[in-house]
Amino acid sequence: MSNMGKNKLPIVNRKNIIVLFLLLVVYGVVQILQSNGILDRFYTMTLILACIYIILAVSQNLITGFTGQLAIGHAGFMAIGAYMSAFIVVKMNGPVVGGLIFGALVAAFAGVLIGIPTLRLRGDYLAIATLGLGEIVRIIFLNWDYLGGATGFQVPKSMNWTWAFWLMVLSVVVINNFINSSHGRACISIRENEIAAEAMGINTTKYKVIAFALGAMFAGLAGGIYANYMFFIQPGTFSFLKSFEILVMVVLGGLGSITGSILGAVIMTVASALLADIPELRMVIIAVLLIIIMIFRPNGILGTKEFNLSFLNPKKKGEENGIT
Amino acid sequence: MGSVEFAAQQLINGLSLGSIYALIALGYTMVYGIIQLINFAHGDIMMVGAFIGWFCTTVLKMAFLPALIISMTITAILGMLIERIAYKPLRKSTRLAALITAIGMSFFLEYGGILVVGPQTRTFPDVFPQTLYNVGGVTFKYGDIVIILTTVVLMTILQFVIKYTRIGKAMRAVSFDKDASALMGINVDNTISATFAIGSSLAAAAGVLMGVYFNTINPLMGIMPGLKAFIAAVLGGIGIIPGAMLGGIAMGLIESIVSGLGFSTWRDAVAFLILIIVLIVKPTGLLGKNIREKV
Amino acid sequence: MALLKVENLSKSFSGLKAVSNLDLEIMEGELVGLIGPNGAGKTTVFNLLTGVYVPTEGTISFKGKRIDGSPLYKVSHLGIARTFQNIRLFGDLPVIDNVKIAYHQHVSYNTLSGILRLPNYYRGEAEIYQKAYDLLKIFDLHEKEDELAKNLPYGQQRRLEIARALATKPSLLLLDEPAAGMNPQETQNLMELIRWIREEFALTILLIEHDMSLVMGVCERIYVLDYGMVIAHGNPDEIKSNPRVIEAYLGEEAG
């Protein structure tokens, strides 16, 4: 860190350049395969869903893995993002980007609104309260006939691989940068020991709400991408089972590990796609795998460790392991 | 219908539904009390119980009572097996890992159920006369009486078991302090198994009663009632047995009143809203005591 | 003017009085001890002073401002820092991060700069790192900056708690049994360290301790607590010869 003061643009270092290069390669390869028709629509959809689930998992991890708050209402925020972006696009004839931003902001606002009363609760109580709130959100959309109600809501398809991929990168970078800032450390201290954090001058309520709102915002963004990609949304998609699914990805990858969440989201999405022809058996296999992984590796695949490229930069005192 | 009849009608409906919730909630609360795990698979255990009951009454042409007992017995064994295979290895790891395992077990039972019996809804045979009784403008089925009676009997037995039997005393001791109980010579593993067995058999009873009451069953039938029963357990104070009974009945009454007033699509939302209000106002539930963290 | 003034402070837990009618006054720059048998209510006093508990009765003034009923983090911002009897480190984080977190209230950049990685983020982080590292050096923990706090030996964990408390830049430091679990040599070193940091950081210190040699050795003034009440107060020599103090301690030994 000491040499960073001398460096005019510390953001430009070898590690970040290599990460950017790798991202461009992944993006480019998929883009080329897609335009040549080698990747059919099903595989493209799987890749885009993987991007959406990465956003969901990483933002859930911010709340649960880093801040230590077991909230199971992510599907609710996703629903808000999906419906609100669709509302702007379909009902207001607004631009897609405007819809995505609006959806994410409304979800963040809902996060603050829900967070202030419920984040005082601990552990399982918070879990069940947020699960309930997520279900309330779903039931509101179920009864909201203006937005399609139970029959669902059609949204023109405007998202593609380019959008999904770079929005995913943006989300991961923002959350990663937050985690590696002093404000992110304040959130982590809540997970570690709430009373000690408070005694060290951290306003724990404030940071819980910030983490919750930031997490909700990206869940809303993911919902917006989903709605503008899938043609059709309906409330049933956003039930608490979806929240479970997201939580499972996070725990599978490792709580408190961003790269772990990415891995968890990709594994689950790809596994679902590979087993798509046998839907019931698919769920049974996923369930059994989940139980086995939890029994033999209860901290997830990566634990709190990050898979990182720090070996690319010679070790300096206090250097953080972020990717940007 | 006058308001008195309306109230009485919703009371009957609510009591029947609430009895079912209470039976499921008991298992949730007992398991939580002893190993602090939200056993999300509990609603699906109820579903298994319902299917065993269905199999006994349709294929084996059994009467209600033997079908109920067989279902409760087999499901008790299933509950113990689930605990031994999936939860016991995780007793020392984080609670979140155990919770995720419970979610996995829930998916396993639901979709395993679909694989075995198919996804379609099945009709429960009429094990009771479908007579409707009408007393002073309030209608109720023969089934209502059976549900309420069965629940009362099972809860009385449960109270007796917990208060006066060896295993019941062991259960209370283990839920109070696991390590101290082990030092006192209580076999903690067996006690936990027994808790799962009792909780699962009560869920099975709830499943059979649900089949009798609503006439239809399917492999995903356990999800919503399971969740609501859990809310009922939290409402009454999780880990507290009378709390689960009270919470279950309260949930049933609230639901039937909301439906009776014509807001049936908002029924679940109201249940969750009440849960959240209770959690915010008194997070330990109606009958719970506040515990302070030692600093 | 007293830095800390406590008047008529009482705290009851469901009817049971843990602290009753406590009066306490600490002048700037003093090093005061709070002693008493087990269960006398010493830690409860700390919890009241730092805002963990809201007093049932009485007032607490710090720098002339009422702080009773303020939340913990506000008390910390006003300049009271503490350590915990049952160590409460951020165990799964590196040693250096434990100190960095305590420095958070003085951080020079905002959330947005952190997310966008603006130049002031890098400057702020470099500064936080340097300050945290310097503090660790004082406590001889700098070589363990990357180790997880939970993996440190007990004595080092206690020292890290003090380092972390100092990072909040307090004017009053509350130490809850800082020598618990230390051997005589470590205790001796700690005594010197406590004296030294008081001078270096211009601190006022209130400490709870069981180790009599430590209390008598470093404290200028001592309050003795028993059953939630102050039974004696004065300089170490006065306390040593106070019959009520001897009785309270002998009573404990006998019981």
Side-chain angles (χ1 to χ4, degrees), chain C residues 106-158:
Chain C
H106 306 291
V107 71
S108 57
Y109 63 90
N110 60 26
T111 314
L112 203 61
S113 309
I115 289 174
L116 300 177
R117 299 261 156 126
L118 298 180
N120 63 350
Y121 161 79
Y122 290 98
R123 273 200 304 275
E125 280 296 296
E127 189 192 332
I128 293 176
Y129 173 74
Q130 198 53 53
K131 298 220 170 171
Y133 187 80
D134 291 346
L135 262 177
L136 286 182
K137 210 162 182 180
I138 291 173
F139 289 87
D140 200 22
L141 292 166
H142 56 291
E143 275 162 14
K144 302 210 165 180
E145 58 168 328
D146 292 328
E147 242 175 81
L148 296 188
K150 67 176 178 191
N151 295 339
L152 290 183
Y154 197 73
Q156 293 186 353
Q157 291 197 7
R158 289 234 172 259

Side-chain angles (χ1 to χ4, degrees), chain C residues 89-108:
Chain C
L89 287 169
F90 307 126
D92 278 318
L93 297 183
V95 165
I96 188 97
D97 280 13
N98 273 268
V99 183
K100 280 182 176 177
I101 286 165
Y103 192 74
H104 176 70
Q105 51 182 289
H106 306 291
V107 71
S108 57

